[in-house]
Every structure is written in structure tokens, then in C-alpha cells.
Amino acid sequence: MVLLRSYVSGAWHTPADEGAPLHDAVTGEVVASISSAGVDMAAALEYGRRVGGPALRELTFHQRAALLKALASHLREHRDELYALSARTGATLGDSKFDVDGGIGVLFAYSSKGKRELPNDTVYVEGAVEPLSKGGTFLAQHIATPLRGVAVQINAFNFPVWGPLEKFAPAFLAGVPSLVKPASQTAYLTEKLVELIISSGLLPEGSLQFVCGSAGDLLDHVTGQDLVSFTGSASTAQRLRAHPVIVRNSVRFNAEADSLNCSILGPDAVKGTAEFDLFVKQLVTEMTVKAGQKCTAIRRAFVPAGLMDDVAEAAAARLQKVSVGNPGTEGVRMGALASLEQREEVRRSLKALLAAGKVVFGDPERVEVVDADAERGAFLSPVLLRADDPDRAEPHEVEAFGPVSTLLPYESTAQVIELAARGQGSLAGSVVTGDAEFAREVVLGVAPWHGRLLVLDADDAKESTGHGSPMPQLVHGGPGRAGGGEEMGGIRGVLHHMQRTAVQGSPKVLTAVTGRWVSGAPRTEGTHPFRKSLAELKIGDSVVAGPRTVTQQDVDHFAEFTGDTFYAHTDPEAAAKNELFGGIVAHGYLVLSFAAGLFVSPEPGPVLANYGLENLRFLTPVKPGDSLTVTLTAKQITPRENAEYGEVRWDADVVNGEGESVAKYDLLTLVAKEQP
């Protein structure tokens, strides 16, 4: 008997009792026993706050991102071990890859986004500086800093690898340690995942803890700096959300709960069209992947009334080809549910759904299985239902969390929008149509009830990730019945683990707090900043260059040389009639070119390349005879972790002889860390 362990307070913990047995979903054999007896939940949370949090906050976003990438690479090397154990949950190899590879993919995705979209710093600066005074001496800036608690995740049984990793990645990148509490049915796979992570030695101690078994009094000890993220039933989410400690301490609570997701077939997608085939294929895939045990699976399939027979016939024919049985046997396309208890729960839900419709395919009580015992294993036939009265309540209220879906007819666009909304909030929906206007009307109509919407057509089908595939770049969550929460969502998911604070002060103070130069803060002139390596350059280092007078000959030459003969640069009479110009004006890009010529230090040195401009605005027209002066100031310095150079963002301000800004922009350069 394998007794599953927890990993808390820096050590593996063996339960103080024998625990409860966990069974192989395919054979019914006992896999392990599970218990959290003896785990000090309060101490585990305090260990995360005291040890894990400080260790993570010492690292920059880029350093955390690099660790996520290293961890993803490590786990990828051990996928076969996870696949083998995943088969005992009833998963086919394809199902296992969906879970294991999907979770590893989340780590890679957050690593990439962290390096691209977050600073190589420990503070996140959000939005632009907010001016609060006429003189510019009093400003404000929103910043985000990591919460000083623990991200507690309570997970469902259906994704024992992806579930923990998709919550862990944004928390880790934010600088917040995690405590993982998996669902018992498949906890043996999550234990293996955590064992691989801990044994890698890649993560700072305390950044990941793991409680195997009951949560016990865990939530009694959370504080206002902790977070709780739950995946499971709506009833459990409601109970946890109302936990007295969570309510009293205003603990951030995120829930991903029940979801009667829908897919809508457009009226244009008749039999014989690519979209018709895509709809049927997607429906069957969503019913059978992970034996339908996906929070994003299609539970309601809305079909134009005149196409119900065609869809039912095509879907049944496709389901007929799905072999059910031992997931390790060649040719088996659908394995078992996670447990016998889960199978009985699905059967109970099916009885309620059958009150509103009839079976198109499958038998809820019997199924032929390949290379397995149909009763010892948690096997269930895919069951496709048909409810010809779409106003019946059951299909919109009862979720059978297994290989079950219901076909429902609709007569108009307005009706299908109303029917979709009766799910009371969903994680994911899809519209399968070649009619972009129908898609637009449906998307805008059902969006308030959905966290994610896929529009599938012949154009995007080959590259589409499908209805049921949450992506780390996108929000995974939904309103209402679906829990009202959001997970992942790219950097949104990171910021969920951070506190947004408005900091008010002078330009000097905001520069010191954010690590970014703010207009009005002190500047340092002297050695040309382009002659300084990244190690020597400081925020606020600056050069003032100019003036240079713009002549009519300059404007004429630029127009002829570039081919930009817009009338404002070449036709005095027409230009004079435009009140924005009042006469011939210089090209904006001529102004930029002159500014570059003024501030450049041309000899080879630490500045390696100019790789772009951002936030460019032309503010005041420049006319022949105007003189230009440019001030260039080091605004932000971002070393790259695994390169011999970094990025420098420069504030560029070009003014005319009257001191008016004619152009403002950020110049981006790559600068060597050391002098060449």
C-alpha cells in the first residue's frame, strides 16, 4: 500500500493514519491511500509567508520567468512517468498529453510573457504617470507589488497536472508562494508532479507546498494577504466563498465552478459545408476527451431546428466509431471516468436530463469495453441526448460531468442568444459558422455570460486550438454559475496575485520608487550616455543636443528624397488654408531624423542597436526657420538575464526655439553590459 505524502514546511510528511483507499479508474485496484492527518496547516501557511515569499520577492520578474522555463524543461523530460500514472486515472495517452503537456505549456507560456511583458525588476509599473498639478511637481503612478501571503489552490480531480500548474505559474511569476491541495481521486498523480518539482531543486524553498488529503482547518488560517483559488462544484464554491475567515479578512477568492457550456451551429452551416462537419467533429471530441470530464466541455449543442436530424445522425455515426476501454490498449479512444462514484454521479444527472429528451446515441447503463471489466472500471458510454423543447429547464440547469451532451433546436438568432444565457454563466462557448455577421451578433449577445468564445470556421479550423482548450494567454473563468472568477489571462493572472497601489509624490520620488525616470525628476549631464555601458548607465543620465534650424530646402529635399509629397509639405497655398498648419510644415519624420542626428554619438561603443520607437506624438507643427533641440534621458534600464546586453528606454523630447515640445517619444536601444 502506497501512502501518499504531503510536502509542507520544507519536508515530506507521512500521514499519521492509514488513510482512505484510492482506486485505479480502469481496474478498480487500490492505487494508494490518502490522508492529511498530522499536517499543521497554520504552520504550512506561515512557512510559505516567512520562507517562500521573501525568497521569491528577492528575484526579479525575469529571474522568476527563467525558473519557470527551467522547470518546464525539467518536467518535459519526465513526461513518460506522468503519462504512465495518468493512465490509472482512466485517461488515454491523448487525454494525458492534454493534461500533462498542457500544464507544462502553461509554464513555458508564462515564462515567455514574463520576459517580454514584465520588467527585469521587482515592481510592476501600471499605466502612465497621472499629473495631479499644473506645475508638474505633484504626480501619481499606479504600481503593483506581490502580496505577502500564500496562494492556496484547491483543485478538481479531472486535471491533476494542468490544474495545479495553471494556478502555480502566474502566482510564482508574481512572487507569491503556492500551497496545492488536489482532489483526492487523482491526488497520486499530483503527488508525483510535486515530487518531480521538489527533487529538481530549481525552486526557492517554500515557494511550493502540497497537502494531500483533506484540507482540514486550512482556511481557518488564511489572512488578507493570502489568496484562495478553487476549482470544483458551484455548491462547494459557494460554501468556501462564505467561509467566515475568508469573509472577515476579505481574502481574494477565485472560483471556477459548474459550466453548462454551449456550442452554436450557424444557419448557414448546412450538411455538406465545412462548418457543419467542424461542428459535429468538435461536439464528439468534447464529449469524449477526458471522458467528457472537462469544465469546458460542450454540454448544450444548439442547432437550427431544420438541421436537428442531420446533426443527430452525423454525430451518432461519429460516436459509433469511438471505442471505450483500457486506455493503454491500441485503438481505444475513450477511457474511464475518474472513479465509480463519479460514474454514478453522471448517471444520476442523466436521469434528470432524460426527463427533457431522449437518447440519440449510447446507453447510460451499459457499455462494451475493450480489454477491461466494464463494472470494475468506471466506464460509461458516450451519451448524446436530444431535447426538442429547448424551453425545458433541465438542459440549462443540470450538468452531467462526463461524456454527455444535449442537442437543442433554435428558430432565430435572438432565441439562441436567449437560450445560451439560460446557462447562467459559462467558462467557454463556441459559434460554428461561415457567416461573420451572424457570428458578430451572437458573440455580442452572449459575451456577458461567457469568459471565452471561439468562433470556428473553415478559415481558422486548421490552426484553432478548439472549444475546450484554455490558453494561458486568455482568461479562464466565467461569470455567474461558472464561479465569477478569472484564472490565467496572461499578465492579468499575474496581477491577480499583486496589490495595486497609487503612489503620489514628486517626480524625484516616483522615479526612485518605480525605477523609471519621470519627467521633472533630476537629470545628469556630462559624459554622453551613449558612451556608457549598461553597468555604468544610470536612470536620469541625459544629453541635450542642438539647436538645428530647419530650412525650406530641408523640407523640399526630404519630400523629393522620400516621395512624401503630402500637400502640407509641398503646396504653400493649400497648406495655408489648413488651420492646423497655417503654411508649409516639416515632415514629422524629418523632425525625428534631425533629432537622431543631434543626439547620436556615432563612434562604435556600448550602444549596439536602435530597435524602435514607442508612444510617438507630434505635438506642434515645425515650420521652415524653426530651430530644434532634443533632450534624451535614460528612462528605464532592463538587463537581459542570459545575454551580454540589455534594453534601455530613453525619453526623447524635441522642442522648438520657443521651448514648445514638437515631438515626444520613447527611443529603444540595445546596450552592452560592459564596455566593448
Side-chain angles (χ1 to χ4, degrees):
M1 173 70 70
V2 176
L3 192 57
L4 299 183
R5 301 171 300 164
S6 298
Y7 185 79
V8 291
S9 300
W12 286 100
H13 168 83
T14 300
D17 60 15
E18 294 183 357
L22 300 177
H23 298 273
D24 187 306
V26 177
T27 66
E29 297 173 352
V30 174
V31 178
S33 64
I34 185 170
S35 172
S36 61
V39 174
D40 188 333
M41 303 294 180
L45 289 173
E46 185 57 29
Y47 185 79
R49 300 182 197 114
R50 178 175 53 82
V51 177
L56 282 175
R57 292 193 298 271
E58 285 183 3
L59 305 175
T60 68
F61 290 108
H62 286 198
Q63 290 170 329
R64 296 176 209 138
L67 288 176
L68 286 179
K69 182 177 181 179
L71 179 60
S73 298
H74 172 75
L75 292 177
R76 189 163 58 180
E77 294 176 359
H78 293 271
R79 286 179 295 179
D80 289 343
E81 298 172 53
L82 296 171
Y83 294 159
L85 207 51
S86 178
R88 307 203 72 171
T89 73
T92 65
L93 180 57
D95 295 337
S96 298
K97 289 182 176 180
F98 195 96
D99 182 26
V100 175
D101 293 11
I104 294 172
V106 171
L107 299 181
F108 277 123
Y110 267 99
S111 171
S112 177
K113 291 189 77 68
K115 290 174 67 176
R116 291 198 321 268
E117 301 179 37
L118 296 174
N120 196 6
D121 201 343
T122 57
V123 61
Y124 179 79
V125 179
E126 185 178 55
V129 172
E130 298 288 347
L132 302 176
S133 66
K134 290 183 179 180
T137 61
F138 186 50
L139 310 165
Q141 174 73 67
H142 286 95
I143 65 170
T145 52
L147 291 172
R148 300 298 179 96
V150 175
V152 176
Q153 49 169 281
I154 302 173
N155 293 322
F157 66 85
N158 51 334
F159 285 99
V161 175
W162 180 85
L165 293 181
E166 64 99 2
K167 293 179 175 69
F168 168 77
F172 185 88
L173 190 54
V176 177
S178 293
L179 187 150
V180 177
K181 209 299 285 182
S184 291
Q185 294 101 309
T186 55
Y188 49 88
L189 180 52
T190 310
E191 189 213 36
K192 182 62 177 178
L193 170 71
V194 173
E195 179 186 303
L196 290 171
I197 293 173
I198 298 301
S199 64
S200 75
L202 291 168
L203 304 187
E205 178 52 52
S207 57
L208 176 64
Q209 297 184 86
F210 171 67
V211 172
C212 209
S214 168
D217 64 350
L218 175 63
L219 297 185
D220 291 342
H221 306 290
V222 294
T223 72
Q225 287 291 303
D226 298 313
L227 309 94
V228 175
S229 182
F230 169 77
T231 299
S233 70
S235 59
T236 304
Q238 183 179 13
R239 187 173 72 252
L240 296 181
R241 195 193 303 271
H243 191 285
V245 177
I246 288 178
V247 174
R248 182 176 67 244
N249 293 336
S250 299
V251 177
R252 294 190 190 185
F253 184 87
N254 188 85
E256 180 213 305
D258 301 350
S259 188
L260 286 164
N261 310 296
C262 71
S263 184
I264 300 170
L265 181 66
D268 61 296
V270 298
K271 187 176 181 179
T273 63
E275 282 75 21
F276 179 93
D277 293 338
L278 289 169
F279 180 83
V280 172
K281 180 180 179 182
Q282 176 178 259
L283 174 61
V284 171
T285 297
E286 290 299 311
M287 289 179 64
T288 55
V289 169
K290 294 285 288 185
Q293 298 169 115
K294 293 197 305 174
C295 55
T296 54
I298 297 169
R299 307 300 179 193
R300 299 175 298 156
F302 293 113
V303 177
L307 297 178
M308 282 284 283
D309 290 342
D310 289 341
V311 171
E313 180 182 346
R318 197 172 188 94
L319 285 167
Q320 187 69 47
K321 300 176 182 178
V322 176
S323 56
V324 179
N326 189 324
T329 301
E330 186 176 354
V332 169
R333 287 184 52 192
M334 193 180 94
L337 275 68
S339 66
L340 292 173
E341 292 78 12
Q342 180 60 26
R343 181 176 67 182
E344 292 312 304
E345 177 61 33
V346 174
R347 284 174 172 169
R348 283 192 290 272
S349 298
L350 268 167
K351 289 179 180 179
L353 290 171
L354 283 168
K358 60 184 180 181
V359 174
V360 171
F361 179 88
D363 185 335
E365 300 300 326
R366 285 177 293 277
V367 59
E368 291 186 13
V369 299
V370 177
D371 196 22
D373 186 319
E375 289 308 312
R376 287 181 61 83
F379 295 102
L380 183 71
S381 167
V383 179
L384 180 63
L385 305 174
R386 173 173 176 161
D388 288 311
D389 180 1
D391 290 324
R392 287 289 299 255
E394 292 89 347
H396 309 293
E397 295 179 359
V398 178
E399 181 184 20
F401 199 72
V404 180
S405 190
T406 303
L407 299 176
L408 295 151
Y410 72 91
E411 299 285 350
S412 67
T413 306
Q415 184 192 23
V416 78
I417 290 172
E418 180 182 348
L419 291 171
R422 288 186 62 182
Q424 302 176 46
S426 299
L427 298 170
S430 58
V431 187
V432 187
T433 178
D435 183 343
E437 289 306 311
F438 174 78
R440 180 182 189 276
E441 189 173 353
V442 171
V443 166
L444 296 182
V446 305
W449 286 272
H450 287 79
R452 176 170 58 86
L453 289 167
L454 163 69
V455 180
L456 186 63
D457 58 24
D459 293 337
D460 65 9
K462 287 185 178 180
E463 295 188 304
S464 169
T465 52
H467 170 103
S469 299
M471 304 299 290
Q473 302 90 336
L474 308 178
V475 165
H476 179 53
R481 179 190 180 116
E486 295 184 355
E487 291 181 1
M488 298 193 295
I491 300 305
R492 293 170 60 96
V494 177
L495 294 177
H496 172 72
H497 298 83
M498 306 181 77
Q499 176 61 43
R500 179 181 293 107
T501 304
V503 180
Q504 298 169 279
S506 66
K508 178 177 67 175
V509 168
L510 291 189
T511 295
V513 169
T514 64
R516 296 187 182 187
W517 184 82
V518 175
S519 181
R523 294 185 295 107
T524 302
E525 296 182 53
T527 301
H528 195 297
F530 278 19
R531 311 316 306 167
K532 296 181 179 181
S533 68
L534 210 66
E536 299 166 322
L537 192 65
K538 306 296 182 186
I539 296 294
D541 283 355
S542 182
V543 61
V544 179
R548 173 168 179 169
T549 301
V550 179
T551 68
Q552 182 65 53
Q553 291 76 15
D554 292 328
V555 177
D556 293 342
H557 174 69
F558 196 82
E560 179 181 2
F561 182 69
T562 63
D564 181 357
T565 56
F566 185 64
Y567 76 88
H569 313 307
T570 57
D571 186 336
E573 183 177 348
K577 291 179 180 178
N578 188 326
E579 62 182 18
L580 293 176
F581 304 130
I584 291 291
V585 295
H587 306 70
Y589 298 108
L590 172 60
V591 172
L592 295 185
S593 298
F594 279 0
L598 290 171
F599 64 62
V600 73
S601 177
E603 301 82 12
V607 175
L608 305 175
N610 167 351
Y611 74 101
L613 304 176
E614 289 183 355
N615 307 316
L616 171 62
R617 292 293 183 271
F618 296 118
L619 303 171
T620 304
V622 174
K623 298 184 177 182
D626 284 350
S627 61
L628 303 178
T629 299
V630 60
T631 301
L632 193 72
T633 307
K635 183 176 184 178
Q636 184 180 5
I637 302 172
T638 305
R640 289 194 177 179
E641 287 297 315
N642 298 314
E644 297 303 316
Y645 58 88
E647 302 161 12
V648 179
R649 180 181 293 266
W650 306 83
D651 179 86
D653 185 14
V654 186
V655 301
N656 60 23
E658 285 71 47
E660 300 171 303
S661 290
V662 301
K664 282 181 173 290
Y665 54 96
D666 288 353
L667 171 70
L668 310 175
T669 63
L670 300 179
V671 179
K673 290 181 177 179
E674 302 293 340
Q675 287 288 350

